[in-house]
Amino acid sequence: MRVTFASESVTEGHPDKICDKISDSVLDAALALDPQARVACETLVTENLTVITGEVSESVLDRLDVEAIARQAIRDIGYIFPDIGFCADTCEVLVRMKPQSPDIAQGVVGQGLFKERGAGDQGMMFGYATNEGRRNDIDTEFMPTPIALAHRLTRRLAEVRKQGIVPHLYPDGKAQVAVEYENGVPVGIANLVISTHHSRQLSLRDLRALLIEHVIAPVIPERLLPREVLARERDKLDSTVIFINPTGAFLVGGPKADAGLTGRKIIVDTYGGMGRHGGGAFSGKDPSKVDRSAAYMARYIAKNVVAAELADVCEVQIAYVIGHARPVSVRVETRHPTVPEHEISRVIQEVFDMRPAAIIEHLDLLRPIYTATAAYGHFGRPEFPWEATNRVAELQQALR
């Protein structure tokens, strides 16, 4: 039986992702000054306006030039054109940062009811991994195929813009990929969408041809989307297989068209909807916030379980109470496990230390590494420490 599942990704120039990058850039700047800094930074953008607020440790509060950090982040994305309604050098920037609440701080540093460094908030976090790509010889880094391909499309869209391969593009854009599955294995592309902001100098017909040639063809495996299909689709403006700017025009974009907020793309940031989400966003939060660090740990655990061939799919849920170090709940669900699921749950809790301080130490999270996470997903990218599969042998040994 065939089923279809779709996921979307957005470029770094999408209004919400502008905000994520600014917030994570502030976080990285704070960690560069003080690795123990506490940061919770929120950003809003709209036409010619950026607003930055939140909390930060007093040790760095007066040393952060938040406005300069924001303008550089906007510039790096590519908003350097004064005539499109949002520009790094001309937009207004308002900053309202204040110190972190002492009530929260005492629980995080072990001075509250529980005398151990505790979680920075309550909540539940999920991690997910699947070997579906490997079963069809597609390297998706243990991620669901729809979100992996959607991220590759938006990353490639940014590359062709920055390198001038496709001219007259602006930073705002998004992609969506619907993958057909047969018995849990990806077998084809039902349809895909790319929407991208561009200037009037580029016609929709030319844009379509250029994106099929320079973005879709290099990214989507031919076994999922045959090249003869791409050739047929090149000039079909009314296609229902490959949609390019399907409203017919994307001449007004970025913050001029839509306001953006930090943390509004949590499904894009994780697994594209395949797997559950606890609701907490990542960007702008230092790793004492388990919304971020425990979600990274849950992915790390799930990926190692699948890499150890203990299951085809693994989802891990970890729940915390603010100020308390040890999780109050750990739940594991698998698909096609090779050993009993309760045994997988047991060895996970033997092998992995899920206390916030241990997560931070093991994954080395007190470094300014977070700006790079702000677009194209937090998972499935080998450069990040939570993507390592270095606990496989320990899991297998614990089972023996």
Side-chain angles (χ1 to χ4, degrees):
M1 186 178 88
R2 285 200 175 197
V3 297
T4 303
F5 194 93
S7 296
E8 74 158 346
S9 175
V10 298
T11 66
E12 63 207 74
H14 184 282
D16 294 330
K17 283 293 157 194
I18 300 170
C19 296
D20 285 346
K21 181 158 186 172
I22 292 171
S23 293
D24 275 333
S25 296
V26 171
L27 169 61
D28 276 355
L31 292 177
L33 292 170
D34 177 4
Q36 299 295 332
R38 306 286 181 234
V39 181
C41 181
E42 307 289 346
T43 304
L44 174 149
V45 296
T46 186
E47 184 174 4
N48 289 319
L49 176 64
T50 301
V51 180
I52 306 160
T53 187
E55 298 78 48
V56 66
S57 295
E58 290 189 85
S59 64
V60 299
L61 180 58
D62 293 333
R63 294 189 284 162
L64 286 173
D65 189 342
V66 175
E67 179 178 343
I69 293 166
R71 291 193 188 278
Q72 187 59 51
I74 297 165
R75 189 175 298 112
D76 290 344
I77 291 168
Y79 279 101
I80 54 176
F81 309 101
D83 59 343
I84 63 170
F86 192 72
C87 177
D89 296 316
T90 59
C91 72
E92 183 181 4
V93 177
L94 300 178
V95 179
R96 297 291 186 273
M97 301 293 289
K98 61 183 185 297
Q100 183 185 44
S101 161
D103 295 342
I104 295 174
Q106 70 178 6
V108 173
V109 300
Q111 297 175 350
L113 292 177
F114 303 96
K115 303 307 178 185
E116 186 177 6
R117 290 176 63 183
D121 204 351
Q122 69 179 46
M124 73 297 297
M125 297 81 212
F126 289 91
Y128 185 90
T130 173
N131 66 7
E132 66 181 49
R134 294 193 171 196
R135 284 185 282 154
N136 197 22
D137 197 27
I138 303 170
D139 183 11
T140 61
E141 284 291 334
F142 297 96
M143 288 289 285
T145 304
I147 189 65
L149 294 181
H151 283 322
R152 290 176 191 177
L153 286 173
T154 52
R155 185 185 286 274
R156 179 61 182 167
L157 184 60
E159 287 175 357
V160 300
R161 169 178 62 86
K162 292 178 177 180
Q163 296 172 15
I165 296 170
V166 178
H168 309 303
L169 295 183
Y170 295 130
D172 192 5
K174 56 175 58 178
Q176 181 174 289
V177 181
V179 174
E180 291 184 328
Y181 287 83
E182 193 167 281
N183 299 320
V185 177
V187 295
I189 301 296
N191 55 73
L192 64 82
V193 189
I194 298 179
S195 295
T196 183
H197 184 201
H198 64 93
S199 79
R200 295 182 183 276
Q201 294 173 269
L202 189 61
S203 71
L204 182 57
R205 187 173 298 277
D206 288 343
L207 175 68
R208 181 179 183 85
L210 287 167
L211 294 188
I212 288 175
E213 178 182 358
H214 295 293
V215 177
I216 297 173
V219 164
I220 304 297
E222 187 168 5
R223 68 172 60 86
L224 297 182
L225 189 62
R227 293 306 174 255
E228 56 266 28
V229 174
L230 291 183
R232 290 199 306 267
E233 290 289 314
R234 186 178 185 277
D235 297 315
K236 292 177 64 176
L237 295 182
D238 59 347
S239 170
T240 57
V241 177
I242 295 178
F243 298 86
I244 304 293
N245 284 6
T247 70
F250 196 166
L251 301 175
V252 179
K256 182 173 183 177
D258 294 293
L261 293 169
T262 299
R264 205 159 57 173
K265 286 290 178 285
I266 58 176
I267 301 304
V268 171
D269 285 345
T270 52
Y271 308 102
M274 193 176 291
R276 286 169 283 198
H277 196 294
F282 301 155
S283 288
K285 297 177 181 177
D286 74 80
S288 73
K289 281 77 170 173
V290 285
D291 278 346
R292 184 167 217 161
S293 55
Y296 292 168
M297 189 63 170
R299 162 65 177 175
Y300 178 58
I301 294 168
K303 187 174 181 181
N304 276 270
V305 167
V306 176
E309 299 183 349
L310 305 185
D312 286 345
V313 177
C314 180
E315 184 180 71
V316 176
Q317 184 205 55
I318 313 173
Y320 293 88
V321 170
I322 189 169
H324 190 259
R326 296 190 181 277
V328 292
S329 173
V330 178
R331 179 178 173 84
V332 180
E333 291 190 23
T334 62
R335 196 175 306 151
H336 304 136
T338 57
V339 296
E341 198 171 77
H342 70 271
E343 283 294 293
I344 298 174
S345 179
R346 175 184 64 80
V347 299
I348 282 173
Q349 295 181 70
E350 287 180 11
V351 170
F352 296 96
D353 189 339
M354 289 170 267
R355 293 173 298 168
I359 294 172
I360 290 168
E361 180 179 2
H362 185 76
L363 296 181
D364 197 11
L365 297 182
L366 296 180
R367 298 173 293 140
I369 59 173
Y370 298 102
T371 302
T373 69
Y376 315 117
H378 293 243
F379 306 122
R381 298 169 59 182
E383 66 265 32
F384 297 137
W386 49 88
E387 290 297 311
T389 52
N390 54 1
R391 311 299 290 277
V392 167
E394 289 177 73
L395 286 169
Q396 293 170 336
Q397 180 61 36
L399 281 169
R400 288 194 291 268

